[in-house]
């Protein structure tokens, strides 16, 4: 009798208006790895909208662009009608409603970088960034290794796969590589590249293809000023590094006459722009700016002009080998001015060519590789084990950029718009990305605005100094607080 009672009650419950409570199950978008409550809210919002709606997640607002000090800010004496880089740009397309593929054998992530020698139209001759691109690729490969060692793409139990393309230095050809990755090879996101001109083309293709693209090697300030909502950068740019050097040269060392020697390509031309503009805005315009052909051997013309201009210090912007040869020829000519350089000169090649002249050189740098960090130590150990050499800054940033893409794919699922969303809406102020290069905090235009450093060559090694180490305040410095001898 008792055995018959339960089925009878089940049949009677609906008739009495009583229904059994179904056991709750996690939503299909539940991430397979732990995430913060903020990221859970992002996932909930982007998975609730249909093709015609935009999730209401709020847009990031920055008080200043790239933490620009107000006294070197352009047009600072007038109120602009519209400031484009202080508010995050939203993606309003229908991409979030695209269904995931039913079957995948691997989850493909793209890589594009200068890894093979070719002719570069953008630089007017033979390509010269292969060594940088190969190191960036190796860093990305270590990130893929680590992700697959942790189980790969956990939702489908399949591995991540790196799809590698060469950035051959031709504008149109670089765009074609992105088209192949996006439409033929079906990558879910991509990392790259280094050359400023080629990267500008690549990210426009990424915009049209709606493909999340992370940059880890192009420090051109104008890269992020395209304000494309599908583009991210995990390395501090030349603008932010230049502001530190400007403060150091004028507020700390009280120089009045700075000269510039730079490569005659986009990297050199755009790299020194903030130094040139900031110097003028502080009332100490650059006394002379000289360009030289990439890979040049004789810099006597440029150096003689700088000498005649009475430069108290010289700033170089170009590749490591060129920077070292310029320094050597300066010293041979009896020019003993302090020598400052871009981050590419913090390299073994620079030290090998410059020899003893490298001592005392100060360079800009986007992170501090000397800090004590367990994650960085493991990255170095694994890199050496696989490639039998030490990683460099391109390797480290390539690892971080690829790790961010892998995390976003793991969390969001196989949907490019949602991968973009979890990267774009991450709460970087309270949850910065903990990379091997340190904390990565993306601004409203999705650019890394983390700490930058000066690298000083002292006693045969590079020492990395922050603003705090240099006793340099951040942001605007009132005239009364500047060093003696500065103009207002």
């Amino acid at each position: 009798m008792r055995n018959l009672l339960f089925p009878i009650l089940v049949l009677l419950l609906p008739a009495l208006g009583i229904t059994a409570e179904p056991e709750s199950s996690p939503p299909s978008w539940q991430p397979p790895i732990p995430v913060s409550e903020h990221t859970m809210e992002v996932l909930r919002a982007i998975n609730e909208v249909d093709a015609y709606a935009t999730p209401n997640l709020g847009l990031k607002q920055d008080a200043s662009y790239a933490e620009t000090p107000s006294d070197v800010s352009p047009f600072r004496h007038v109120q602009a009608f519209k400031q484009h880089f202080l508010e995050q740009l939203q993606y309003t397309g229908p991409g979030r409603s695209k269904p995931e593929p039913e079957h995948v054998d691997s989850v493909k992530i793209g890589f594009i970088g200068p890894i093979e020698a070719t002719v570069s139209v953008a630089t007017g001759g033979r390509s010269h960034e292969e060594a940088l691109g190969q190191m960036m690729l190796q860093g990305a490969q270590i990130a893929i290794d680590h992700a697959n060692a942790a189980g790969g793409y956990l939702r489908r139990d399949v591995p991540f796969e790196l799809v590698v393309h060469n950035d051959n230095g031709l504008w149109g050809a670089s765009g074609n590589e992105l088209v192949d990755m996006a439409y033929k090879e079906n990558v879910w996101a991509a990392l790259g590249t280094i050359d400023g001109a080629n990267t500008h083309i690549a990210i426009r293709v990424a915009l049209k293809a709606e493909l999340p693209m992370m940059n880890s090697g192009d420090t051109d300030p104008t890269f992020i000023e395209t304000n494309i909502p599908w583009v991210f950068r995990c390395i501090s740019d030349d603008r932010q590094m230049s502001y530190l050097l400007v403060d150091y040269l004028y507020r700390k060392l009280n120089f009045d006459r700075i000269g510039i020697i730079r490569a005659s390509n986009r990297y050199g031309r755009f790299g020194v722009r903030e130094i040139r503009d900031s110097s003028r805005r502080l009332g100490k315009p650059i006394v002379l700016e000289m360009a030289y052909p990439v890979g040049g051997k004789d810099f006597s013309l440029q150096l003689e002009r700088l000498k005649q201009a009475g430069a108290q210090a010289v700033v170089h912007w170009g590749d490591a080998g060129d920077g070292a040869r310029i320094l050597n020829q300066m010293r041979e000519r009896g020019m003993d001015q302090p020598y400052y350089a871009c981050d590419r000169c913090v390299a073994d090649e620079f030290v090998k060519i410059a020899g003893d002249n490298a001592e005392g050189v100060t360079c800009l740098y986007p992170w501090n590789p000397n800090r004590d960090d367990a994650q960085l130590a493991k990255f170095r150990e694994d890199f050496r084990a696989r490639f039998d050499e030490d990683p460099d800054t391109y390797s480290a940033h390539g690892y971080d950029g690829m790790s961010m893409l892998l995390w976003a794919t793991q969390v969001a699922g196989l949907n490019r718009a949602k991968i973009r969303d979890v990267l774009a809406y991450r709460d970087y102020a309270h949850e910065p990305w903990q990379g091997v290069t340190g904390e990565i905090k993306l601004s409203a235009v999705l650019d890394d605005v983390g700490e930058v450093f000066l690298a000083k060559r002292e006693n045969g090694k590079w020492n990395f100094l922050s603003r705090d180490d240099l006793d340099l305040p951040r942001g605007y410095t009132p005239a009364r607080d500047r060093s003696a001898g500065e103009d207002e």
Side-chain angles (χ1 to χ4, degrees):
M1 185 61 186
R2 180 178 294 179
N3 292 338
L4 294 174
L5 186 59
F6 180 74
I8 293 173
L9 286 174
V10 170
L11 292 173
L12 288 177
L13 285 175
L16 296 174
I18 302 172
T19 56
E21 191 71 29
E23 185 177 348
S24 62
S25 59
S28 60
W29 49 261
Q30 186 88 17
I33 57 175
V35 297
S36 69
E37 184 55 36
H38 175 84
T39 298
M40 284 296 289
E41 288 299 322
V42 171
L43 288 169
R44 190 174 292 113
I46 64 179
N47 281 284
E48 286 179 348
V49 297
D50 59 23
Y52 304 98
T54 303
N56 182 20
L57 287 166
L59 300 175
K60 294 178 183 177
Q61 303 275 348
D62 288 341
S64 68
Y65 172 54
E67 300 185 357
T68 304
S70 59
D71 50 354
V72 298
S73 179
F75 309 110
R76 63 190 184 281
H77 299 301
V78 297
Q79 179 64 45
F81 173 74
K82 173 70 176 178
Q83 293 181 297
H84 287 284
F85 308 133
L86 299 182
E87 181 177 278
Q88 185 176 8
L89 196 62
Q90 197 170 39
Y91 167 63
T92 57
R96 300 178 184 90
S97 64
K98 290 183 178 177
E100 295 197 10
E102 294 183 358
H103 175 79
V104 291
D105 293 319
S106 64
V107 173
K108 297 178 180 177
I109 307 294
F111 172 94
I112 180 168
I115 54 176
E116 299 174 7
T118 182
V119 174
S120 172
V121 170
T123 57
R126 184 182 179 279
S127 59
H128 56 101
E129 294 173 335
E130 294 83 60
L132 313 182
Q134 288 160 2
M135 294 301 279
M136 186 170 75
L137 172 60
Q138 290 172 346
Q141 288 170 328
I142 294 293
I144 293 285
D145 289 350
H146 285 176
N148 284 335
Y153 183 66
L154 300 175
R155 294 175 191 268
R156 304 287 185 96
D157 193 24
V158 295
F160 287 105
E161 178 185 351
L162 195 62
V163 177
V164 179
H165 283 248
N166 181 45
D167 173 13
N168 62 11
L170 299 170
W171 284 29
S174 297
N176 291 341
E177 302 296 322
L178 259 292
V179 169
D180 287 346
M181 278 197 280
Y183 295 108
K184 295 182 180 178
E185 295 161 319
N186 297 318
V187 302
W188 296 100
L191 177 80
T193 177
I194 294 176
D195 180 82
N198 299 339
T199 304
H200 267 275
I201 299 302
I203 60 177
R204 281 162 173 78
V205 177
L207 169 63
K208 294 294 185 183
E210 299 196 338
L211 178 70
M213 191 162 183
M214 177 68 72
N215 185 277
S216 64
D218 176 15
T219 53
D220 180 348
T222 65
F223 163 83
I224 210 67
E225 292 171 358
T226 53
N227 212 1
I228 294 173
W230 292 85
V231 169
F232 308 82
R233 180 160 60 186
C234 65
I235 183 172
S236 297
D237 66 9
D238 293 336
R239 173 190 296 276
Q240 297 162 63
M241 289 190 280
S242 292
Y243 290 150
L244 176 58
L245 182 60
V246 165
D247 276 357
Y248 185 66
L249 293 176
Y250 295 125
R251 305 192 205 284
K252 187 79 175 182
L253 302 181
N254 296 320
F255 285 124
D256 292 312
R257 300 177 62 81
I258 302 297
I260 291 176
I261 182 168
R262 64 161 176 85
S264 60
N265 57 8
R266 184 185 179 93
Y267 176 67
R269 186 169 69 255
F270 280 75
V272 301
R273 195 172 69 170
E274 299 308 323
I275 296 175
R276 186 178 60 232
D277 291 349
S278 298
S279 299
R280 186 182 68 251
R281 288 164 189 151
L282 291 174
K284 302 182 179 184
I286 295 297
V287 295
L288 188 64
E289 178 180 334
M290 295 296 295
Y292 63 84
V294 175
K297 304 298 180 186
D298 181 6
F299 305 96
S300 57
L301 172 65
Q302 292 87 351
L303 294 177
E304 182 60 29
R305 296 283 174 82
L306 286 168
K307 185 177 181 180
Q308 292 174 359
Q312 296 173 316
V314 173
V315 175
H316 165 258
W317 216 277
D319 291 346
D322 290 343
R325 286 186 286 274
I326 290 169
L327 173 61
N328 288 344
Q329 291 182 29
M330 275 183 61
R331 300 303 184 237
E332 290 169 2
R333 301 174 69 86
M335 296 175 67
D336 59 356
Q337 290 93 335
Y339 193 70
Y340 303 90
C342 60
D343 57 316
R344 286 192 182 183
C345 290
V346 182
D348 293 342
E349 180 185 11
F350 179 88
V351 174
K352 180 179 179 181
I353 297 174
D356 292 341
N357 290 330
E359 191 72 11
V361 169
T362 300
C363 298
L364 296 162
Y365 216 60
W367 63 299
N368 178 9
N370 285 354
R371 74 186 198 290
D372 185 14
D373 182 275
Q375 186 184 3
L376 175 59
K378 175 170 174 46
F379 167 68
R380 283 178 169 146
E381 180 182 348
D382 292 347
F383 194 97
R384 290 191 199 103
R386 176 161 178 177
F387 301 112
D388 196 26
E389 61 181 325
D390 288 325
D392 70 358
T393 183
Y394 291 90
S395 313
H397 284 96
Y399 176 86
D400 280 347
M402 182 57 68
S403 297
M404 293 175 76
L405 293 178
L406 294 170
W407 170 82
T409 306
Q410 194 79 274
V411 169
L414 300 183
N415 179 291
R416 291 172 179 171
K418 294 175 183 176
I419 292 169
R420 187 216 79 92
D421 286 338
V422 297
L423 279 173
Y425 291 111
R426 184 184 171 109
D427 183 9
Y428 292 97
H430 300 96
E431 191 189 358
W433 182 265
Q434 300 296 330
V436 298
T437 59
E439 289 190 348
I440 297 174
K441 302 175 182 178
L442 300 191
S443 67
V445 289
L446 308 177
D447 197 21
D448 182 13
V449 288
E451 182 88 67
V452 296
F453 298 81
L454 288 185
K456 298 186 73 172
R457 188 75 182 176
E458 297 173 316
N459 300 317
K461 64 178 183 178
W462 295 105
N463 293 316
F464 297 86
L465 305 171
S466 67
R467 279 187 177 271
D468 291 340
D469 296 328
L470 297 165
D471 195 25
L472 284 170
R474 301 169 195 274
Y476 174 69
T477 305
R480 65 178 182 276
D481 295 336
R482 295 178 191 165
S483 301
E486 280 199 11
D487 297 333
E488 186 170 353

